[in-house]
Amino acid sequence: MMVQAELRPAVVVIGASRGIGRAIAKVAAREKAPVVLVARSHDDLVAVASEIGEAGGEAFVLDLDLFSADAAARLGDFLTANNLCCDVLVNSAGYGLRGAATTLPVQDQLGIIDLNIRALTDLSLHFLPGMVARGRGGVLNLGSIAGFMPGPNMALYYASKSYVRSFSEALHQELRRTGVTVTCVAPGPVSTEFLQRSGADRVPLFKVLPKLDADYVAERAWRGFKSGRRLVVPGTSAKLAAFAAAWLPSAVMLPLIGRLQRRSNDPCPCGSGIKFKDCCGARSRRDGLRQNTPLNR
């Protein structure tokens, strides 16, 4: 039977096929430890593994559906079969949807919980005990500046990233004397496919905010994790947004975010089936005009 001491420590990157996960995998490969690339897209994983190999690193590829209840166990079996153990776990898989919660498909919204919250939690709790037993390693969780505030018109995504930040910071405190680090990286908008896939690229908020480069975020995230930091917020705009979220009252933040993440052509959340601009949006404008009209004397 194989004993734990024979297993080589590896960096396991979940969601390594694209975006920030892909960038972190390439940064982590510089450590000269094996990197295990995990996602559903086999061809994209092979491409990342090839890049790492050409740079002198060692990469393993695992096609894995994180929505499967046994995903963590299957990953563990894969590591053992390749004489590896999870020394560092990078949880970078996730997705979001833009739109009113009452108009978006329910199952698609529940999928955000399954991937951004349940899968991240399952993987973390599955591999952290081994890290603690070895007295080394840790978890790097990809959060978002969205985790600092509620997000009308992206309600489930913002809530999921709030969970990631809270969960990560709590674990960081619990494990601070064990030799194991848990870090949450919370960037603002990043130039990846996420903005297009979520539909966020078409709303005012994400048009005006500066976009960070995925390689920049990966470098800051990895450096912060290696230095044992609890939270990493890359970029000046993200730091300002976190500060504003902490100090501005909800009565100001909520309407502002809701408006900036809504399009006038969106279905109205009241369930009328009419565009927002022709339904509640038009009613809001009429009410505003009445409030601003002087009384006749």
Side-chain angles (χ1 to χ4, degrees):
M1 180 179 293
M2 186 178 301
V3 296
Q4 190 72 18
E6 296 175 344
L7 302 179
R8 291 192 296 156
V11 178
V12 179
V13 183
I14 309 298
S17 60
R18 56 173 61 96
I20 298 173
R22 181 182 187 131
I24 292 178
K26 292 161 70 174
V27 172
R30 299 176 194 162
E31 302 284 326
K32 301 304 179 183
V35 178
V36 180
L37 310 172
V38 182
R40 288 191 295 182
S41 177
H42 177 78
D43 291 343
D44 289 338
L45 290 178
V46 170
V48 182
S50 178
E51 293 178 23
I52 290 174
E54 290 172 1
E58 182 183 9
F60 294 79
V61 168
L62 174 62
D63 306 346
L64 183 64
D65 185 355
L66 295 173
F67 290 102
S68 301
D70 63 344
R74 290 172 59 193
L75 174 55
D77 291 342
F78 177 85
L79 293 173
T80 302
N82 287 279
N83 296 339
L84 302 171
C85 66
C86 182
D87 186 50
V88 177
L89 173 66
V90 180
N91 281 311
S92 61
Y95 77 95
L97 294 172
R98 190 203 61 79
T102 54
T103 64
L104 292 171
V106 172
Q107 289 305 314
D108 290 347
Q109 293 189 80
L110 293 178
I112 295 175
I113 297 174
D114 285 339
L115 185 58
N116 297 16
I117 295 178
R118 189 203 58 78
L120 177 144
T121 304
D122 186 19
L123 290 166
S124 299
L125 298 182
H126 189 91
F127 292 108
L128 272 170
M131 299 174 189
V132 173
R134 293 187 294 271
R136 56 172 287 171
V139 178
L140 174 58
N141 286 329
L142 180 60
S144 168
I145 198 63
F148 289 82
M149 63 201 83
N153 296 308
M154 285 190 78
L156 264 294
Y157 177 74
Y158 276 59
S160 72
K161 292 305 182 180
S162 179
Y163 172 88
V164 171
R165 181 170 73 94
S166 177
F167 179 62
S168 302
E169 293 197 66
L171 289 179
H172 178 93
Q173 180 63 29
E174 290 180 15
L175 303 175
R176 59 192 297 265
R177 301 187 187 280
T178 65
V180 176
T181 297
V182 178
T183 299
C184 178
V185 56
V190 182
S191 295
T192 66
E193 295 178 4
F194 170 83
L195 294 178
Q196 291 78 29
R197 294 171 67 193
S198 65
D201 62 320
R202 299 190 296 272
V203 297
L205 180 63
F206 294 95
K207 289 181 179 179
V208 300
L209 287 177
K211 312 297 188 300
L212 297 175
D213 181 74
D215 292 335
Y216 171 85
V217 173
E219 293 281 0
R220 296 303 183 277
W222 190 253
R223 185 184 306 171
F225 168 73
K226 296 297 286 186
S227 62
R229 291 178 57 185
R230 168 180 53 86
L231 180 67
V232 178
V233 183
T236 302
S237 62
K239 291 180 174 63
L240 291 174
F243 178 82
W247 290 100
L248 287 178
S250 296
V252 174
M253 286 291 292
L254 284 169
L256 177 62
I257 295 172
R259 186 161 57 249
L260 290 175
Q261 292 191 152
R262 183 179 61 227
R263 300 180 71 200
S264 60
N265 288 330
D266 285 345
C268 191
C270 72
S272 64
I274 304 173
K275 293 178 181 179
F276 175 80
K277 66 178 180 180
D278 299 325
C279 190
C280 292
R283 191 178 309 126
S284 297
R285 289 193 296 274
R286 289 195 298 269
D287 292 344
L289 286 173
R290 291 195 194 100
Q291 293 173 6
N292 293 324
T293 301
L295 294 174
N296 293 324
R297 295 184 183 275

